[in-house]
Amino acid sequence: PATCVFTRNATEALNLVAYSWARHRLRPGDEIVLTPMEHHSNLVPWQRVARETGARLRFIPLTPEGRLDLSALDRVLTERARLLCVTQASNVLGTVNPVRRLADEAHARGALVVVDGAQSVPHMPVDVRALDCDFLAFSGHKMCGPTGIGVLYGRRELLEGMEPFLGGGEMIRAVRLEDADWNDIPWKFEAGTPNIADAIALGVAVDYLRELGMEAVWEHERRLVRYTLERLQEFDDLVIYGPREERGGAIAFNLGDIHAHDVAQVLDSEGIAVRAGHHCAMPLMQWLGVPATVRASLYLYNTEDDIDRLVAGLKAVREFFGHVVRK
């Protein structure tokens, strides 16, 4: 428990690492290795750290399918790397990255590994020891829990050596007029009155998911992904982004030349909830060459019937805009 710090969300957890570890340790010439598929939460904090410290950002390229091009690791992940920051599962492409292999490569070069687990912890079994990561962040609201609560996992020795992110009550052991002594971890990073209610609710969500079994949750999602990809093949003008196999339940696509927002609006009128836009991954949209995508997100509460309704809704979208064009 000491290695799990409560934060507001995965974004704050990643910023905690950026401000409390990276800002104090990186120097000009050091390198932070990232990927083009990162959520802004695992990109913008490192951009700011790089500007403030003189560190350099490097990026592992993607294959045309939307996976990491591991053949480029030796070129990108050099002895100058101090951090490798990577999402375990993409919130757009659905790509599941080989974190353990990346961690082995990073540690062999003396770099630490920061994992964005927002799209993996709710969906699949995650073991920080098996991943051998140094930090991992996730949010409660993506795993049947409330908003406003998240967790940063960090190795004990790293957390103990870091300065606090915020100062105030609870994070101190003793305070004098001129200085103060910090509390033990995790309280050192949990200044002020904690978010007690949502922390308890997150615990209930964790208990619920553990009772279901994360292997069962992951298998259900993978079955739905296979069914969804099969059904979407009915549209010859629909483009799916990301791998076709061994992927998570975030499925981004575009339908013909209809803007993603228009697709989402018609689907909404059919009672189908999707998200449209850049999904807080604007550099990835640039890599894909599109301004936005539609994203259907599958989880443990979805069924094949939901996918059938999505397909019917997409047919209604095409019919509606075909009618508009004809007029």
Side-chain angles (χ1 to χ4, degrees):
T3 60
C4 291
V5 179
F6 283 123
T7 61
R8 289 185 301 166
N9 41 50
T11 299
E12 184 175 280
L14 293 165
N15 274 273
L16 195 161
V17 180
Y19 280 80
S20 294
W21 190 90
R23 287 179 74 200
H24 296 280
R25 288 167 175 80
L26 297 187
R27 299 290 182 267
D30 290 341
E31 295 181 350
I32 304 170
V33 179
L34 303 152
T35 82
M37 68 174 70
E38 299 307 315
H39 189 282
H40 296 163
S41 298
N42 203 30
L43 177 60
V44 175
W46 309 116
Q47 292 174 343
R48 299 185 67 185
V49 165
R51 284 198 300 268
E52 295 171 3
T53 63
R56 180 188 178 195
L57 302 180
R58 300 290 301 276
F59 295 89
I60 303 172
L62 303 181
T63 68
E65 188 184 25
R67 298 188 188 275
L68 296 181
D69 184 357
L70 299 180
S71 67
L73 270 183
D74 288 339
R75 173 170 52 84
V76 178
L77 188 62
T78 71
E79 299 298 331
R80 293 186 295 273
R82 297 294 307 281
L83 283 174
L84 169 63
C85 307
V86 62
T87 182
Q88 188 173 9
S90 169
N91 72 312
V92 177
L93 301 173
T95 306
V96 180
N97 288 319
V99 171
R100 180 55 192 255
R101 176 177 174 181
L102 294 170
D104 289 344
E105 296 280 356
H107 290 153
R109 294 160 174 79
L112 298 185
V113 178
V114 181
V115 177
D116 177 359
Q119 295 289 335
S120 60
V121 170
H123 298 273
M124 64 186 71
V126 175
D127 183 338
V128 293
R129 292 187 180 92
L131 294 176
D132 199 25
C133 59
D134 300 289
F135 297 99
L136 184 142
F138 63 93
S139 293
H141 70 274
K142 296 183 183 295
M143 50 192 297
C144 304
T147 56
I149 190 75
V151 171
L152 171 69
Y153 158 79
R155 292 189 189 272
R156 178 185 292 270
E157 63 272 20
L158 294 174
L159 293 175
E160 288 179 341
M162 290 162 53
E163 287 293 302
F165 185 25
L166 301 172
E170 191 67 24
M171 50 75 64
I172 47 81
R173 181 177 303 282
V175 176
R176 297 165 292 276
L177 286 178
E178 300 294 337
D179 60 8
D181 300 324
W182 309 141
N183 204 342
D184 296 331
I185 59 171
W187 301 287
K188 179 172 70 171
F189 300 104
E190 297 177 352
T193 302
N195 186 359
I196 300 168
D198 288 338
I200 293 171
L202 176 58
V204 174
V206 169
D207 290 342
Y208 172 69
L209 290 174
R210 292 182 65 182
E211 183 177 349
L212 291 176
M214 292 309 300
E215 284 286 359
V217 172
W218 183 224
E219 179 52 38
H220 174 78
E221 184 170 316
R222 286 188 293 181
R223 186 174 66 252
L224 281 183
V225 168
R226 291 192 293 268
Y227 183 73
T228 304
L229 296 180
E230 179 181 336
R231 289 297 319 269
L232 291 181
Q233 290 179 5
E234 298 176 19
F235 301 90
D236 55 10
D237 57 346
L238 188 144
V239 178
I240 300 173
Y241 304 100
R244 294 299 183 270
E245 297 179 353
E246 297 302 318
R247 54 168 294 158
I251 301 177
F253 61 88
N254 275 313
L255 182 61
D257 58 357
I258 307 171
H259 195 284
H261 293 160
D262 293 330
V263 174
Q265 185 170 348
V266 176
L267 289 177
D268 177 65
S269 69
E270 299 287 327
I272 302 165
V274 296
R275 180 175 175 180
H278 53 68
H279 313 294
C280 293
M282 294 178 73
L284 181 57
M285 294 297 110
Q286 295 167 6
W287 181 82
L288 293 172
V290 296
T293 68
V294 184
R295 187 185 68 190
S297 301
L298 308 176
Y299 198 34
L300 58 87
Y301 38 67
N302 291 118
T303 67
E304 285 82 357
D305 289 341
D306 294 327
I307 308 309
D308 294 339
R309 290 192 63 192
L310 171 64
V311 170
L314 289 172
K315 291 178 179 177
V317 171
R318 193 161 59 180
E319 180 179 352
F320 174 81
F321 282 99
H323 176 70
V324 170
V325 171
R326 286 193 296 272
K327 289 182 65 177

